[in-house]
Amino acid sequence: MKKETILVIGANGQIGTALLPRLQNTYGFGNVIATDVRQTGTEEAIFELLDATNALALNDIVQRRGITQIYHLAAVLSAKGETDPLWAWNLNMQTLLNVLEAGRTFNLHKVFVPSSIAAFGEHAPKQETPQSSVLDPATVYGISKVAAENWSVYYHKRYGLDVRSLRYPGVISYQSMPGGGTTDYAVAIYHEAVQGHDFECFLAADTRLPMIYMDDALRATLELMEAPADNITVRTSYNLAGMSFTPAELTASIQRHFPDFKVTYAPDFRQAIADSWPQSIDDSVAKKDWGWKPDFDLPKMTFEMINHLNELYHVTV
Ligand code: SER
């Protein structure tokens, strides 16, 4: 067991919920401290309430718990951010700067700060978007991620802080519902299909986006964080790819299991956000630097999602 004490911020979010058990396995249950702005349900974790916009509260936990690494997973996502841009900017940036400052002040071993495909905008190539494309995001979420990437480089160069980052594609998981993202349709669709409902999709049928199954996203995160520091040549954020598909292709893969499943399309404001993002990602630098290799394609993910959600909705007593 590794001797580190890990602080997870945003532990009740989509990624936090799934990452916690993995971190507990790696570092020991007692060495992973879960935090969020509210406690939901019965987390199987050591939990503290934390509003990470409050630097004093964050620093207090870091000192009191002897934290050596932070996973900063709290953020307002793309679609929700557009409903209140300044609130989203303040929350995303204040929490980021508090985490980086805590990293510098308390000499943390490592910090994880996720970025997103939302960092890219209209002038990046849409297909196989390269690692170092122009970053001109269309959403406040994307702007905050580009800023976070640059601040991470700054803290690394200026203070030697070991900050690491992935540009997550849309993450698909059964463990919890995502909230406020543009890629979230690809999670909600499975929940409806498994319950025997029709689904109305807020993106057009042919909107291709980069996606990743949670298992792959978690493995990528842990592999990046475990990689020797000398291998890390990208201190902004690594491109990461799993698969790419459209709502129509996702529907077809679900219909192989549920032939009567029906989807209608009613694109809303999220269509413009999706249209500003890449359709597929070139993650060759991650492959070269720390051996990244995705395991899940669309059929394999659909099989797993349906199995897990069947357990959730149709538990036999
Ligand atoms: N899944 C995120 C969103 O849709 C992208 O990082 O906002």
Side-chain angles (χ1 to χ4, degrees):
M1 195 103 3
K2 315 235 163 63
K3 251 201 101 33
E4 297 280 347
T5 308
I6 314 284
L7 183 72
V8 180
I9 298 173
N12 291 336
Q14 190 198 9
I15 294 175
T17 304
L19 184 63
L20 266 186
R22 303 282 179 108
L23 290 172
Q24 289 165 338
N25 274 345
T26 310
Y27 297 101
F29 184 89
N31 297 321
V32 180
I33 314 300
T35 67
D36 208 307
V37 281
R38 56 190 82 79
Q39 179 153 22
T40 57
T42 50
E43 288 84 357
E44 292 184 359
I46 298 169
F47 183 87
E48 287 203 35
L49 284 174
L50 173 67
D51 173 356
T53 61
N54 181 342
L56 293 178
L58 172 62
N59 292 350
D60 173 59
I61 291 193
V62 170
Q63 281 184 289
R64 200 161 29 80
R65 296 280 189 176
I67 298 299
T68 60
Q69 296 190 20
I70 297 180
Y71 285 70
H72 175 34
L73 305 175
V76 182
L77 296 188
S78 61
K80 196 162 172 203
E82 294 311 288
T83 63
D84 193 342
L86 295 187
W87 164 73
W89 171 258
N90 284 330
L91 192 147
N92 289 357
M93 294 315 297
Q94 197 56 60
T95 56
L96 168 82
L97 293 172
N98 288 347
V99 165
L100 293 176
E101 270 299 280
R104 174 181 78 82
T105 310
F106 301 108
N107 294 314
L108 299 189
H109 299 166
K110 285 175 203 168
V111 174
F112 181 71
V113 173
S115 185
S116 159
I117 51 167
F120 297 110
E122 69 170 312
H123 293 104
K126 294 273 179 234
Q127 313 295 337
E128 292 294 309
T129 308
Q131 175 66 46
S132 28
S133 305
V134 60
L135 300 174
D136 56 351
T139 59
V140 68
Y141 172 65
I143 300 172
S144 75
K145 288 301 180 191
V146 174
E149 291 189 9
N150 287 318
W151 274 111
S152 298
V153 172
Y154 184 87
Y155 269 73
H156 176 68
K157 280 202 177 137
R158 174 139 186 208
Y159 304 117
L161 185 63
D162 190 350
V163 195
R164 303 183 183 194
S165 179
L166 296 170
R167 288 179 183 142
Y168 288 124
V171 179
I172 296 165
S173 65
Y174 63 86
Q175 291 93 335
S176 68
M177 294 296 280
T182 302
T183 56
D184 293 1
Y185 88 86
V187 178
I189 193 172
Y190 285 109
H191 285 261
E192 298 306 318
V194 168
Q195 294 178 84
H197 303 155
D198 295 345
F199 180 67
E200 187 179 272
C201 184
F202 58 73
L203 297 181
D206 60 352
T207 312
R208 185 173 303 283
L209 286 172
M211 302 279 187
I212 193 166
Y213 187 52
M214 181 62 90
D215 255 49
D216 274 343
L218 297 180
R219 191 166 50 79
T221 307
L222 296 172
E223 285 176 5
L224 169 70
M225 291 299 277
E226 293 281 305
D230 288 349
N231 289 24
I232 310 297
T233 65
V234 175
R235 289 290 177 173
T236 48
S237 187
Y238 278 98
N239 276 11
L240 183 73
M243 61 191 93
S244 283
F245 55 76
T246 65
E249 289 163 358
L250 177 53
T251 301
S253 95
I254 294 173
Q255 283 167 338
R256 282 185 201 112
H257 301 259
F258 299 106
D260 296 334
F261 179 52
K262 285 191 185 52
V263 175
T264 51
Y265 296 92
D268 64 15
F269 74 100
R270 288 168 280 197
Q271 185 66 46
I273 298 177
D275 289 342
S276 74
W277 288 353
Q279 296 185 3
S280 60
I281 296 289
D282 173 358
D283 61 355
S284 51
V285 184
K287 287 179 166 142
K288 182 165 116 334
D289 283 3
W290 42 276
W292 168 239
K293 191 171 179 299
D295 187 27
F296 282 83
D297 59 9
L298 180 54
K300 189 171 171 186
M301 177 174 78
T302 293
F303 181 80
E304 289 255 332
M305 284 294 286
I306 289 175
N307 276 347
H308 284 291
L309 292 179
N310 262 331
E311 277 172 31
L312 180 72
Y313 288 111
H314 309 294
V315 191
T316 44
V317 263

